[in-house]
Amino acid sequence: MKVVITNKIPQSAVDALRAEHDVVFYHDADDCITREACLEAVRGADAVVTLLTEKVDDEFLDACGGQLKVVANVAVGYNNIDVPACERRGVIATNTPKVLTETTADTAFGLMLMVTRRFGEGERVIRSRTPWQWGMFYLLGMGLQDKTLGIVGMGQIGIAMARRAKAFGMDVVYSDAYELAADVAGELGARKVELDELFETSDVVSLHCPLMDSTHHLVDADALKRMKKTAYLINSARGPIVDEAALVAALEAGEIAGAGLDVFEAEPTVHEGLIDRDDVVLLPHLGSATVETRTAMAELAAQNVLDVLAGKPPVTPVTKA
């Protein structure tokens, strides 16, 4: 069957697909495929492997044609996919959860360490050759021990973040639609609270919820005003969960102490008000960026394609088709 891969992925996944099917198009350049080229490439495909950079909507699905069976997203998130549109056509959409849990939690925790201890500022001092001298009050940050971490979205990545926080001596509160299993909550010492209480009492707020209508701009001006002036915001989930204009305003007003961001509202564009701030750490969406994790993600996406084309249920579906 015909398989299209819209952007560069690890070779082992490409080889797995080529071993059983005809990979009729593979955009293996380092830059992302254009929309026009993507729509042309997917015509006649039985399966398409996509990244977050591709928008899978009615136009995309129409371009593929009625023979399309599966869209395999190489990401845990799938806000780039119109799931109802896929379901209406009987197209199975899949994602790659779990394999990036630990790596993404590492990234979130790294952001927290960098911004609370001002490591980003310190490195810029050295790299800019700015004269400096050790001093009792030089670049003082905030320690994490005995501080409260508020986790918004206590799924697998949130739980992994909580485990790291516990090892650093932090207290953990969380907000989620579901209660943690008693044994997990006991292991983590985690307590479920309402979202407003989480914003008001946490020393660090870390976002691990999916992007959906209810979480778009979840962190807005009102939420930021609820936070402590000494608190920090970490976002390694999805950019539009945070109203970046409101975040810039809150930082300028001293309403929070700082932020660590791996994702952005209009990615890859970053709000100009964030770029030059020393109280913000910025990463270019590196959450799952290890060789091991990206390979595992691509191989899981390939397996989902192979399963569907063989008439089997995929390992990690996100549609009901």
Side-chain angles (χ1 to χ4, degrees):
M1 294 187 183
K2 296 180 179 180
V3 177
V4 168
I5 306 172
T6 62
N7 261 303
K8 194 171 185 177
I9 62 174
Q11 191 62 40
S12 58
V14 180
D15 292 343
L17 291 168
R18 281 180 170 155
E20 297 191 30
H21 297 286
D22 186 8
V23 177
V24 297
F25 179 85
Y26 175 29
H27 182 80
D28 61 351
D30 289 328
D31 62 326
C32 291
I33 193 171
T34 66
R35 178 67 170 180
E36 294 75 15
C38 182
L39 293 179
E40 182 61 32
V42 299
R43 297 187 189 283
D46 295 291
V48 183
V49 178
T50 58
L51 274 65
L52 284 172
T53 46
E54 282 75 71
K55 187 176 182 181
V56 179
D57 54 9
D58 283 312
E59 182 184 37
F60 180 100
L61 296 168
D62 286 343
C64 291
Q67 79 294 323
L68 181 67
K69 297 173 180 61
V70 58
V71 173
N73 214 37
V74 188
V76 65
Y78 47 90
N79 50 289
N80 60 310
I81 296 178
D82 185 338
V83 173
C86 289
E87 290 178 340
R88 286 195 299 270
R89 290 168 168 79
V91 174
I92 296 173
T94 68
N95 66 339
T96 58
K98 298 183 180 179
V99 293
L100 48 66
T101 296
E102 301 300 330
T103 309
T104 307
D106 285 347
T107 301
F109 207 86
L111 283 169
M112 180 165 65
L113 280 172
M114 286 183 70
V115 70
T116 58
R117 290 295 309 279
R118 302 175 69 176
F119 290 158
E121 289 180 70
E123 193 199 27
R124 285 191 292 276
V125 167
I126 299 295
R127 289 189 181 277
S128 65
R129 295 178 172 80
T130 301
W132 64 278
Q133 179 176 308
W134 185 92
M136 183 67 72
F137 300 98
Y138 183 57
L139 285 180
L140 289 184
M142 181 188 81
L144 298 180
Q145 294 72 28
D146 300 319
K147 297 300 193 299
T148 297
L149 172 64
I151 296 177
V152 181
M154 202 59 147
Q156 294 297 320
I157 298 172
I159 289 171
M161 182 70 167
R163 289 199 173 104
R164 287 156 175 73
K166 182 183 178 184
F168 271 66
M170 300 186 78
D171 296 321
V172 176
V173 297
Y174 72 95
S175 174
D176 196 280
Y178 302 98
E179 193 98 25
L180 278 177
D183 59 334
V184 177
E187 172 205 344
L188 301 175
R191 180 170 58 91
K192 188 173 186 290
V193 298
E194 294 299 320
L195 190 58
D196 285 350
E197 182 180 345
L198 184 147
F199 282 124
E200 291 164 2
T201 61
S202 297
D203 297 294
V204 180
V205 173
S206 190
L207 306 177
H208 300 283
C209 51
L211 175 62
M212 54 186 70
D213 289 344
S214 60
T215 60
H216 183 268
H217 282 189
L218 181 72
V219 181
D220 57 9
D222 181 63
L224 291 160
K225 282 182 170 61
R226 291 181 179 276
M227 291 174 64
K228 299 177 180 180
K229 292 184 182 296
T230 54
Y232 297 83
L233 175 70
I234 306 298
N235 188 12
S236 61
R238 287 290 178 265
I241 296 170
V242 176
D243 181 340
E244 283 184 9
L247 175 59
V248 170
L251 289 164
E252 289 177 347
E255 292 174 351
I256 65 171
L261 308 173
D262 184 44
V263 289
F264 304 95
E265 190 170 357
E267 195 170 308
T269 301
V270 179
H271 193 295
E272 280 296 323
L274 295 169
I275 298 292
D276 295 323
R277 297 198 64 89
D278 277 333
D279 52 6
V280 178
V281 174
L282 305 169
L283 296 179
H285 204 145
L286 298 180
S288 62
T290 66
V291 172
E292 298 86 352
T293 297
R294 292 282 171 83
T295 300
M297 291 167 65
E299 289 176 351
L300 176 54
Q303 189 59 55
N304 281 326
V305 168
L306 295 173
D307 286 345
V308 172
L309 295 186
K312 304 174 185 177
V315 182
T316 52
V318 297
T319 59
K320 298 176 183 177

